[in-house]
Amino acid sequence: MTTIAVLGNGRVGGNLAAALTRAGHQVTVADRTPGAAAEAVRGARIVINATPGAGSLDRLAALREELRDKILVDVSNATTDGPDGLPADLVHPGSSLAEQLQEALPATRVVKTLNTMLFPVMTAPATLSQPPTAFLSGEDPEAKGTVLELLTDLGWRPEWIRDLGGIRTARATEAAVLFVPHVIRSSGFTPFAISIAG
């Protein structure tokens, strides 16, 4: 059991918070009330960024001191929205939200994961007809090991998890969000994930 703060109480944050609570963790969800995020982060060992990616950098940079020495699990994708509300373009082309967060929060261990799938798959990977892949990007091996344990608690088998290396590799997984609007337009909001077949 560990203490986890989930920043963002929408579909992604709510889904993760419920699943991690069921797995036995002590989870706090921070809403948008003033001070809620700072208070939640101070009491947590692990912080999950499930806020809308386009505004995540500003929100989290404001919590720099509270996030010191924490593990920050970033599951967001920073995109602009198209006319239909689906992702259109990357906010950080040639970089990634995870890289920007790590640069802005040097005393925080940022790990990117779970951003290459629709949100229901994050907590129920075995419901897909073929195994999905969860990717890990980050500079700190110990932090990635802790996040791998969290993924296991969410139903991810070790063989479905791929450590890509340093935080710079997050730009590849974040760019995968550009697949999403085309898949949704062609097949609807049926749960799916990117999978590496080997």
Side-chain angles (χ1 to χ4, degrees):
M1 188 275 286
T2 192
T3 52
I4 300 171
V6 177
L7 305 183
N9 59 352
R11 292 179 299 181
V12 174
N15 186 42
L16 286 168
L20 290 167
T21 299
R22 287 194 300 271
H25 297 287
Q26 183 180 330
V27 182
T28 302
V29 180
D31 58 24
R32 291 178 179 269
T33 56
E39 184 177 344
V41 169
R42 273 194 292 268
R45 176 175 174 241
I46 298 171
V47 179
I48 297 176
N49 175 39
T51 65
S56 289
L57 184 57
D58 290 341
R59 285 191 188 98
L60 273 72
L63 298 170
R64 181 171 174 165
E65 285 308 309
E66 290 86 351
L67 285 164
R68 181 178 294 276
D69 299 324
K70 312 282 186 181
I71 295 173
L72 176 62
V73 184
D74 179 33
V75 304
S76 294
N77 289 307
T79 62
T80 60
D81 289 339
D84 54 3
L86 295 175
D89 290 304
L90 300 174
V91 171
H92 305 290
S95 182
S96 64
L97 173 59
E99 289 173 88
Q100 298 295 314
L101 287 170
Q102 187 61 87
E103 184 176 342
L105 304 164
T108 303
R109 295 176 289 168
V110 178
V111 179
K112 188 80 181 192
T113 194
L114 294 180
N115 63 309
T116 55
M117 61 204 68
L118 284 191
F119 78 92
V121 181
M122 294 178 176
T123 58
T127 58
L128 296 184
S129 60
Q130 62 190 41
T133 304
F135 301 98
L136 293 173
S137 299
E139 297 300 324
D140 188 288
E142 183 183 348
K144 285 194 283 188
T146 299
V147 174
L148 190 148
E149 292 173 7
L150 278 188
L151 293 180
T152 302
D153 288 345
L154 293 174
W156 289 86
R157 298 179 187 172
E159 63 268 25
W160 297 350
I161 302 169
R162 186 79 59 97
D163 186 342
L164 295 181
I167 200 69
R168 194 175 188 273
T169 63
R171 66 181 61 180
T173 61
E174 288 190 28
V177 75
L178 299 179
F179 277 107
V180 171
H182 308 297
V183 174
I184 289 174
R185 290 183 193 116
S186 66
S187 56
F189 280 89
T190 304
F192 70 88
I194 289 179
S195 178
I196 301 298

